[in-house]
Amino acid sequence: MKKETIILLSILVLVVVFVSGCSSQKSSSDLEKEYDQKIENTKEIAKDGFILTSKVFVPKGTFLGKVGGEFGEQIHKFYVARDKSRLDMIYSTYEIRLYTLLQNNMIITMACNNKEQKWKCEQISSMKKPNFDEKALKKLDLDILKGLKKLEDKSIIGLNAKCFEIIKDAMMCYHPEYLIQLYEKRAKGYTAEATGLEFNAPDDSVFELPKLQNSKMESSNQQVEGKIGDIPALPEE
């Protein structure tokens, strides 16, 4: 696996869509069968999701991306179910929520905020839905990360998180059993550390877009319905 591919997969670990052992020469049907067998072999616990709360520090100068945000300390709350997710970035006077919805076989990412005391939402990206029916919880497969430098385990919320150097002066740590990111540090000072983890599937109402309170949705899709697929990545530096 090329180094740049490993880095990309790691940075998008909030999406955590890994399929080990895949060959570009295998058919989609073969890959799906192989993936289903792998899941069966791991005997995953019968959980349909989790809720992850993290303490995040975003240094000045960090690129905040299209959705915006703030520098400094903040709380992020990440809701994940089998086919849906929501990421909340919570600030002192408002919050930003990122949803990813499935509509007409397309994954649509929506960004909502209540900066002006009312909710406003807009579509920020879309892509074709992958063939794989991903589960909310995936076992941590160290073979996927074998191209990265292994670091000492780090104690996070009472767990011995498995840590790896992504690039120089940047690291990520994962739950010891599941592919859930518990800690991240970037070269320029960005950090994210889990403060709480619940293995409970969030209620479906958590994934409904907020009421827009007579404000028009700024999107080409005035009525967005469906289920959530991939998980949006945090803003890059």
Side-chain angles (χ1 to χ4, degrees):
M1 186 180 289
K2 294 182 180 180
K3 185 174 182 180
E4 56 266 30
T5 302
I6 295 171
I7 294 172
L8 177 59
L9 288 174
S10 301
I11 291 176
L12 296 179
V13 68
L14 288 179
V15 184
V16 291
V17 182
F18 288 113
V19 182
S20 64
C22 291
S23 167
S24 60
Q25 304 194 359
K26 293 181 181 179
S27 69
S28 296
S29 178
D30 288 340
L31 291 176
E32 287 174 356
K33 290 178 182 178
E34 181 178 305
Y35 179 71
D36 288 341
Q37 185 61 50
K38 180 180 177 62
I39 292 299
E40 179 64 24
N41 291 342
T42 60
K43 297 181 179 179
E44 286 187 290
I45 59 174
K47 301 290 186 181
D48 292 322
F50 62 89
I51 303 171
L52 177 69
T53 305
S54 299
K55 176 178 62 177
V56 177
F57 177 76
V58 181
K60 290 183 178 180
T62 300
F63 175 63
L64 297 176
K66 192 171 183 178
V67 299
E70 293 184 2
F71 303 120
E73 293 185 355
Q74 53 201 256
I75 299 297
H76 289 186
K77 197 159 188 177
F78 192 33
Y79 303 88
V80 181
R82 178 183 172 85
D83 58 358
K84 57 192 79 177
S85 69
R86 171 180 134 189
L87 173 64
D88 294 359
M89 294 177 277
I90 304 169
Y91 307 108
S92 58
T93 59
Y94 71 98
E95 63 181 276
I96 294 174
R97 296 179 183 174
L98 296 180
Y99 301 80
T100 306
L101 310 173
L102 181 61
Q103 184 181 44
N104 298 326
N105 211 37
M106 296 292 292
I107 294 173
I108 300 172
T109 301
M110 304 291 297
C112 301
N113 74 76
N114 59 352
K115 288 182 182 180
E116 300 175 357
Q117 307 304 313
K118 60 183 179 182
W119 284 103
K120 175 179 168 182
C121 298
E122 64 177 327
Q123 178 181 318
I124 60 173
S125 69
S126 64
M127 62 176 285
K128 187 175 180 181
K129 180 184 179 295
N131 291 328
F132 295 103
D133 182 17
E134 288 294 326
K135 297 188 183 232
L137 283 175
K138 286 168 279 295
K139 288 286 187 178
L140 178 65
D141 188 346
L142 295 179
D143 285 342
I144 294 174
L145 305 170
K146 64 184 178 182
L148 300 175
K149 180 181 178 181
K150 180 73 174 67
L151 303 176
E152 290 186 7
D153 291 357
K154 186 177 179 65
S155 180
I156 307 290
I157 54 173
L159 299 168
N160 291 326
K162 305 301 179 183
C163 300
F164 301 85
E165 182 180 71
I166 308 305
I167 57 175
K168 185 177 180 179
D169 299 323
M171 63 185 288
M172 285 188 180
C173 303
Y174 304 95
H175 187 283
E177 294 184 56
Y178 298 100
L179 200 57
I180 301 174
Q181 181 181 307
L182 300 180
Y183 181 81
E184 178 182 2
K185 183 180 75 171
R186 302 181 191 172
K188 296 182 180 179
Y190 175 99
T191 59
E193 180 173 344
T195 58
L197 176 61
E198 303 172 46
F199 284 109
N200 293 306
D203 189 82
D204 284 344
S205 62
V206 170
F207 305 104
E208 296 175 359
L209 292 178
K211 293 181 180 180
L212 301 183
Q213 300 173 339
N214 298 323
S215 174
K216 291 184 179 180
M217 183 182 296
E218 295 189 356
S219 168
S220 58
N221 299 298
Q222 290 287 325
Q223 309 233 331
V224 178
E225 299 178 350
K227 298 179 179 180
I228 295 179
D230 286 347
I231 298 166
L234 293 174
E236 297 182 1
E237 290 185 304

